[in-house]
Amino acid sequence: MEVASFLIVFFMVRYIRNSLQTAQQFPEWDRILVIVQYAASGLLAAEIFLDSDFTKWIWHLMLLGMVGAAYLLKDFRPVRNLWLAVGPYILVSLFSDIIAIFDSGVYKTIKDILDVAQIFALVWLIATWVSSQKQQKALEKERIKRLQEEEQGRIIANQNVMLEQLVAERTAELTRQKEELEQTLSELKTTQDQLIQREKMASLGELTAGIAHEIQNPLNFVNNFSEVSVELIEELKEERKRDDRDLELEDEILGDIAQNLQKITHHGKRADSIVKGMLQHSRTSTPQQEPTDLNNLADEYLRLAYHGLRANDKSFNATLVMDFDDKLGLVSVVAQDMGRVLLNLFTNAFYATEEKRKTGLEGYQPTVQVSTKRTEDHFIEIRVRDNGCGIPQAVLNKIYQPFFTTKPTGQGTGLGLSLSYDIVTKGHQGELTVDTEEGKFTEFIIRLPT
C-alpha cells in the first residue's frame, strides 16, 4: 500500500511539474511540489522503519491533497484528469482502511472484494496514466507545432516588414535612377544632335577640296568662253566698220558667240548645281523626298570625294569605274541625305584602298567601282565596291554602331556608317548591307524600294 502510494505521489508530482512547466510558469508551486516529493520519500522511509498505522492516513491526506489541488486550484486546471486516474484508487484504499478500523468483521468479509477493487483501481490508474501520457505527448506536439507556426508567422511578418521597407527604398532608388536616366537621355539626345551636326560639317569639310576642284573647271570654262566671246564681238565690230563687209563672216562670228554663250550657260549651271549640293549637304532642317537622278548624284559625289582626297594627298591615285543603269530613271529620295551616304561610302572606299597601297603591295592599283541597277523585285541597287584591305570578321557586326571606327584616332568620328545606316533604313525604308573579304575587297549595297 505504502509503496504504491509513494509511486503514485511521485509520478503525480512529476506529471504536474512537466505538464505545467512549473519551474518556468509557477516557480512557487514548483518549490512546494519538490517539497512534496521529498516528504513522500521521508514518509516511505518512516513507514518502513517504524511500521505505524499513522502513516497510512498521512498517505491518504497527501493523495487527497494532490488530487484536490489538481481539481480545485486555478493554476492546476490543465491537470484535472489526475482525479479520473487516481480517484478510484484513493476511494477504494480510504474506504478499505475506514472499514478495517470501524468494523473488522465486515472488513474480513469483504476483504477479497476490496483487494480486487483495489487491483482494478490500479489497472484503471495505469491505463488512464498511459492514455494521459499519449494525450500529453500529442498535446505537446500540437503545442510545439503551434509555437513553431507562431514563430514562423512572426518571422514572416518581420520579413514582410523588411521587404516592404526594401521595396520602398528600392522604389525610391529606381525613381531617382529613372529621373537621372531621363536627364542623361535628354543630354544624350542633345549631344547626339550636336555630334550629327559635327559629322555633317566634317563631311562638308571633306567636300571642300573636291568642290573647289570641281567648281574651278566650270569657272575656267566660263572665263575662257567669255574672253573669246569678247574678242569675237570686237572682231565683229571691226568687220562692220569696213566698207566691204563680209556678211557670211559676220554670221559665222555671231554663231560662234551664240555657241560660247550656250557653253557659258552650261558650265554656269554646273557650278550652280555644285554650290546647291554643298548647301543641301550642310542643311540642318528636315528635308523632303523628291525625284532625283541617282546616276548624276553618285557621279557627282564620287568625283567630289576623289578630288577632295587628292587635294590632301597628291600622291593618291585610283581608278574610278562607273556602271550606271540608263533606265534607272528618277527615284524619290532626300538628295542631300543620300548624297551624304554616298560620300561616306566613297570616302571609306578610298581610305581602304589608300591603306592597302601604303603596304607596298606590288602591282596593286586602287580601284573604286560604283554601279546602279533597277532590279526585278522593284528595288534600286547602288553598289560601292573597292579592292582595299577589307573589313575583319571580328568587327563586322559593329560597323554600324555609333562611334565605332577602325580608323586611327583623329581620322574618324565613328558616326559615318551609323548615320548612313539610319538614313537608308529609317529615312528611306531601304537596306544597307556589306559583303567583304579581309585583304581583298569590300562592297556596300544600298537597296531602295521604288
Side-chain angles (χ1 to χ4, degrees), residues 16-28:
I16 293 172
R17 292 182 68 192
N18 291 337
S19 298
L20 300 180
Q21 295 183 350
T22 54
Q24 294 80 25
Q25 304 292 334
F26 311 106
E28 294 294 332

mmCIF file with all atom_site columns, all heavy atoms in Angstrom, residues 16-28:
data_model
loop_
_atom_site.group_PDB
_atom_site.id
_atom_site.type_symbol
_atom_site.label_atom_id
_atom_site.label_alt_id
_atom_site.label_comp_id
_atom_site.label_asym_id
_atom_site.label_entity_id
_atom_site.label_seq_id
_atom_site.pdbx_PDB_ins_code
_atom_site.Cartn_x
_atom_site.Cartn_y
_atom_site.Cartn_z
_atom_site.occupancy
_atom_site.B_iso_or_equiv
_atom_site.pdbx_formal_charge
_atom_site.auth_seq_id
_atom_site.auth_comp_id
_atom_site.auth_asym_id
_atom_site.auth_atom_id
_atom_site.pdbx_PDB_model_num
ATOM 1   N N   . ILE A 1 16 ? 2.703  16.738 -12.929 1.00 0.00 ? 16 ILE A N   1
ATOM 2   C CA  . ILE A 1 16 ? 2.262  18.139 -12.782 1.00 0.00 ? 16 ILE A CA  1
ATOM 3   C C   . ILE A 1 16 ? 3.390  19.086 -13.169 1.00 0.00 ? 16 ILE A C   1
ATOM 4   O O   . ILE A 1 16 ? 3.191  20.074 -13.878 1.00 0.00 ? 16 ILE A O   1
ATOM 5   C CB  . ILE A 1 16 ? 1.769  18.401 -11.345 1.00 0.00 ? 16 ILE A CB  1
ATOM 6   C CG1 . ILE A 1 16 ? 0.478  17.611 -11.080 1.00 0.00 ? 16 ILE A CG1 1
ATOM 7   C CG2 . ILE A 1 16 ? 1.545  19.881 -11.113 1.00 0.00 ? 16 ILE A CG2 1
ATOM 8   C CD1 . ILE A 1 16 ? 0.029  17.657 -9.636  1.00 0.00 ? 16 ILE A CD1 1
ATOM 9   N N   . ARG A 1 17 ? 4.588  18.813 -12.698 1.00 0.00 ? 17 ARG A N   1
ATOM 10  C CA  . ARG A 1 17 ? 5.721  19.705 -12.994 1.00 0.00 ? 17 ARG A CA  1
ATOM 11  C C   . ARG A 1 17 ? 6.032  19.753 -14.499 1.00 0.00 ? 17 ARG A C   1
ATOM 12  O O   . ARG A 1 17 ? 6.287  20.839 -15.051 1.00 0.00 ? 17 ARG A O   1
ATOM 13  C CB  . ARG A 1 17 ? 6.957  19.247 -12.226 1.00 0.00 ? 17 ARG A CB  1
ATOM 14  C CG  . ARG A 1 17 ? 6.844  19.419 -10.708 1.00 0.00 ? 17 ARG A CG  1
ATOM 15  C CD  . ARG A 1 17 ? 8.129  18.995 -10.022 1.00 0.00 ? 17 ARG A CD  1
ATOM 16  N NE  . ARG A 1 17 ? 9.217  19.925 -10.360 1.00 0.00 ? 17 ARG A NE  1
ATOM 17  C CZ  . ARG A 1 17 ? 10.499 19.674 -10.090 1.00 0.00 ? 17 ARG A CZ  1
ATOM 18  N NH1 . ARG A 1 17 ? 10.848 18.510 -9.541  1.00 0.00 ? 17 ARG A NH1 1
ATOM 19  N NH2 . ARG A 1 17 ? 11.422 20.558 -10.406 1.00 0.00 ? 17 ARG A NH2 1
ATOM 20  N N   . ASN A 1 18 ? 5.981  18.578 -15.138 1.00 0.00 ? 18 ASN A N   1
ATOM 21  C CA  . ASN A 1 18 ? 6.279  18.552 -16.570 1.00 0.00 ? 18 ASN A CA  1
ATOM 22  C C   . ASN A 1 18 ? 5.171  19.171 -17.404 1.00 0.00 ? 18 ASN A C   1
ATOM 23  O O   . ASN A 1 18 ? 5.425  19.903 -18.372 1.00 0.00 ? 18 ASN A O   1
ATOM 24  C CB  . ASN A 1 18 ? 6.538  17.124 -17.035 1.00 0.00 ? 18 ASN A CB  1
ATOM 25  C CG  . ASN A 1 18 ? 7.840  16.570 -16.467 1.00 0.00 ? 18 ASN A CG  1
ATOM 26  O OD1 . ASN A 1 18 ? 8.736  17.326 -16.093 1.00 0.00 ? 18 ASN A OD1 1
ATOM 27  N ND2 . ASN A 1 18 ? 7.950  15.251 -16.383 1.00 0.00 ? 18 ASN A ND2 1
ATOM 28  N N   . SER A 1 19 ? 3.917  18.845 -17.019 1.00 0.00 ? 19 SER A N   1
ATOM 29  C CA  . SER A 1 19 ? 2.802  19.333 -17.817 1.00 0.00 ? 19 SER A CA  1
ATOM 30  C C   . SER A 1 19 ? 2.648  20.843 -17.717 1.00 0.00 ? 19 SER A C   1
ATOM 31  O O   . SER A 1 19 ? 2.410  21.528 -18.718 1.00 0.00 ? 19 SER A O   1
ATOM 32  C CB  . SER A 1 19 ? 1.490  18.654 -17.399 1.00 0.00 ? 19 SER A CB  1
ATOM 33  O OG  . SER A 1 19 ? 1.569  17.261 -17.607 1.00 0.00 ? 19 SER A OG  1
ATOM 34  N N   . LEU A 1 20 ? 2.754  21.355 -16.504 1.00 0.00 ? 20 LEU A N   1
ATOM 35  C CA  . LEU A 1 20 ? 2.538  22.788 -16.302 1.00 0.00 ? 20 LEU A CA  1
ATOM 36  C C   . LEU A 1 20 ? 3.815  23.602 -16.424 1.00 0.00 ? 20 LEU A C   1
ATOM 37  O O   . LEU A 1 20 ? 3.756  24.832 -16.395 1.00 0.00 ? 20 LEU A O   1
ATOM 38  C CB  . LEU A 1 20 ? 1.912  23.028 -14.922 1.00 0.00 ? 20 LEU A CB  1
ATOM 39  C CG  . LEU A 1 20 ? 0.560  22.354 -14.660 1.00 0.00 ? 20 LEU A CG  1
ATOM 40  C CD1 . LEU A 1 20 ? 0.062  22.687 -13.262 1.00 0.00 ? 20 LEU A CD1 1
ATOM 41  C CD2 . LEU A 1 20 ? -0.457 22.797 -15.700 1.00 0.00 ? 20 LEU A CD2 1
ATOM 42  N N   . GLN A 1 21 ? 4.975  22.910 -16.553 1.00 0.00 ? 21 GLN A N   1
ATOM 43  C CA  . GLN A 1 21 ? 6.259  23.599 -16.596 1.00 0.00 ? 21 GLN A CA  1
ATOM 44  C C   . GLN A 1 21 ? 6.350  24.600 -15.451 1.00 0.00 ? 21 GLN A C   1
ATOM 45  O O   . GLN A 1 21 ? 6.608  25.788 -15.632 1.00 0.00 ? 21 GLN A O   1
ATOM 46  C CB  . GLN A 1 21 ? 6.435  24.312 -17.950 1.00 0.00 ? 21 GLN A CB  1
ATOM 47  C CG  . GLN A 1 21 ? 6.510  23.362 -19.114 1.00 0.00 ? 21 GLN A CG  1
ATOM 48  C CD  . GLN A 1 21 ? 6.760  24.069 -20.435 1.00 0.00 ? 21 GLN A CD  1
ATOM 49  O OE1 . GLN A 1 21 ? 6.689  25.293 -20.506 1.00 0.00 ? 21 GLN A OE1 1
ATOM 50  N NE2 . GLN A 1 21 ? 7.032  23.290 -21.467 1.00 0.00 ? 21 GLN A NE2 1
ATOM 51  N N   . THR A 1 22 ? 6.145  24.047 -14.265 1.00 0.00 ? 22 THR A N   1
ATOM 52  C CA  . THR A 1 22 ? 6.070  24.909 -13.076 1.00 0.00 ? 22 THR A CA  1
ATOM 53  C C   . THR A 1 22 ? 7.385  25.628 -12.795 1.00 0.00 ? 22 THR A C   1
ATOM 54  O O   . THR A 1 22 ? 7.395  26.702 -12.207 1.00 0.00 ? 22 THR A O   1
ATOM 55  C CB  . THR A 1 22 ? 5.682  24.062 -11.860 1.00 0.00 ? 22 THR A CB  1
ATOM 56  O OG1 . THR A 1 22 ? 6.605  22.968 -11.738 1.00 0.00 ? 22 THR A OG1 1
ATOM 57  C CG2 . THR A 1 22 ? 4.274  23.508 -12.000 1.00 0.00 ? 22 THR A CG2 1
ATOM 58  N N   . ALA A 1 23 ? 8.518  25.033 -13.221 1.00 0.00 ? 23 ALA A N   1
ATOM 59  C CA  . ALA A 1 23 ? 9.800  25.693 -12.970 1.00 0.00 ? 23 ALA A CA  1
ATOM 60  C C   . ALA A 1 23 ? 9.863  27.062 -13.658 1.00 0.00 ? 23 ALA A C   1
ATOM 61  O O   . ALA A 1 23 ? 10.486 27.993 -13.151 1.00 0.00 ? 23 ALA A O   1
ATOM 62  C CB  . ALA A 1 23 ? 10.949 24.803 -13.444 1.00 0.00 ? 23 ALA A CB  1
ATOM 63  N N   . GLN A 1 24 ? 9.197  27.184 -14.849 1.00 0.00 ? 24 GLN A N   1
ATOM 64  C CA  . GLN A 1 24 ? 9.191  28.459 -15.554 1.00 0.00 ? 24 GLN A CA  1
ATOM 65  C C   . GLN A 1 24 ? 7.919  29.262 -15.288 1.00 0.00 ? 24 GLN A C   1
ATOM 66  O O   . GLN A 1 24 ? 7.981  30.490 -15.112 1.00 0.00 ? 24 GLN A O   1
ATOM 67  C CB  . GLN A 1 24 ? 9.329  28.241 -17.076 1.00 0.00 ? 24 GLN A CB  1
ATOM 68  C CG  . GLN A 1 24 ? 10.652 27.669 -17.539 1.00 0.00 ? 24 GLN A CG  1
ATOM 69  C CD  . GLN A 1 24 ? 10.736 26.161 -17.357 1.00 0.00 ? 24 GLN A CD  1
ATOM 70  O OE1 . GLN A 1 24 ? 9.703  25.480 -17.323 1.00 0.00 ? 24 GLN A OE1 1
ATOM 71  N NE2 . GLN A 1 24 ? 11.956 25.650 -17.210 1.00 0.00 ? 24 GLN A NE2 1
ATOM 72  N N   . GLN A 1 25 ? 6.759  28.553 -15.256 1.00 0.00 ? 25 GLN A N   1
ATOM 73  C CA  . GLN A 1 25 ? 5.486  29.261 -15.154 1.00 0.00 ? 25 GLN A CA  1
ATOM 74  C C   . GLN A 1 25 ? 5.090  29.574 -13.699 1.00 0.00 ? 25 GLN A C   1
ATOM 75  O O   . GLN A 1 25 ? 4.586  30.674 -13.430 1.00 0.00 ? 25 GLN A O   1
ATOM 76  C CB  . GLN A 1 25 ? 4.376  28.416 -15.822 1.00 0.00 ? 25 GLN A CB  1
ATOM 77  C CG  . GLN A 1 25 ? 4.642  28.050 -17.273 1.00 0.00 ? 25 GLN A CG  1
ATOM 78  C CD  . GLN A 1 25 ? 4.611  29.269 -18.181 1.00 0.00 ? 25 GLN A CD  1
ATOM 79  O OE1 . GLN A 1 25 ? 3.949  30.256 -17.873 1.00 0.00 ? 25 GLN A OE1 1
ATOM 80  N NE2 . GLN A 1 25 ? 5.356  29.203 -19.275 1.00 0.00 ? 25 GLN A NE2 1
ATOM 81  N N   . PHE A 1 26 ? 5.268  28.620 -12.809 1.00 0.00 ? 26 PHE A N   1
ATOM 82  C CA  . PHE A 1 26 ? 4.840  28.788 -11.403 1.00 0.00 ? 26 PHE A CA  1
ATOM 83  C C   . PHE A 1 26 ? 5.977  28.361 -10.470 1.00 0.00 ? 26 PHE A C   1
ATOM 84  O O   . PHE A 1 26 ? 5.948  27.265 -9.892  1.00 0.00 ? 26 PHE A O   1
ATOM 85  C CB  . PHE A 1 26 ? 3.590  27.935 -11.109 1.00 0.00 ? 26 PHE A CB  1
ATOM 86  C CG  . PHE A 1 26 ? 2.494  28.105 -12.142 1.00 0.00 ? 26 PHE A CG  1
ATOM 87  C CD1 . PHE A 1 26 ? 2.240  27.096 -13.065 1.00 0.00 ? 26 PHE A CD1 1
ATOM 88  C CD2 . PHE A 1 26 ? 1.738  29.264 -12.188 1.00 0.00 ? 26 PHE A CD2 1
ATOM 89  C CE1 . PHE A 1 26 ? 1.243  27.238 -14.006 1.00 0.00 ? 26 PHE A CE1 1
ATOM 90  C CE2 . PHE A 1 26 ? 0.733  29.406 -13.133 1.00 0.00 ? 26 PHE A CE2 1
ATOM 91  C CZ  . PHE A 1 26 ? 0.481  28.400 -14.052 1.00 0.00 ? 26 PHE A CZ  1
ATOM 92  N N   . PRO A 1 27 ? 6.996  29.182 -10.329 1.00 0.00 ? 27 PRO A N   1
ATOM 93  C CA  . PRO A 1 27 ? 8.138  28.779 -9.501  1.00 0.00 ? 27 PRO A CA  1
ATOM 94  C C   . PRO A 1 27 ? 7.782  28.503 -8.048  1.00 0.00 ? 27 PRO A C   1
ATOM 95  O O   . PRO A 1 27 ? 8.379  27.627 -7.413  1.00 0.00 ? 27 PRO A O   1
ATOM 96  C CB  . PRO A 1 27 ? 9.090  29.964 -9.616  1.00 0.00 ? 27 PRO A CB  1
ATOM 97  C CG  . PRO A 1 27 ? 8.341  31.069 -10.261 1.00 0.00 ? 27 PRO A CG  1
ATOM 98  C CD  . PRO A 1 27 ? 7.182  30.497 -10.974 1.00 0.00 ? 27 PRO A CD  1
ATOM 99  N N   . GLU A 1 28 ? 6.769  29.197 -7.467  1.00 0.00 ? 28 GLU A N   1
ATOM 100 C CA  . GLU A 1 28 ? 6.347  28.948 -6.081  1.00 0.00 ? 28 GLU A CA  1
ATOM 101 C C   . GLU A 1 28 ? 5.749  27.561 -5.942  1.00 0.00 ? 28 GLU A C   1
ATOM 102 O O   . GLU A 1 28 ? 6.074  26.807 -5.001  1.00 0.00 ? 28 GLU A O   1
ATOM 103 C CB  . GLU A 1 28 ? 5.329  30.011 -5.645  1.00 0.00 ? 28 GLU A CB  1
ATOM 104 C CG  . GLU A 1 28 ? 5.902  31.424 -5.556  1.00 0.00 ? 28 GLU A CG  1
ATOM 105 C CD  . GLU A 1 28 ? 6.936  31.521 -4.444  1.00 0.00 ? 28 GLU A CD  1
ATOM 106 O OE1 . GLU A 1 28 ? 6.847  30.756 -3.460  1.00 0.00 ? 28 GLU A OE1 1
ATOM 107 O OE2 . GLU A 1 28 ? 7.853  32.366 -4.570  1.00 0.00 ? 28 GLU A OE2 1
#
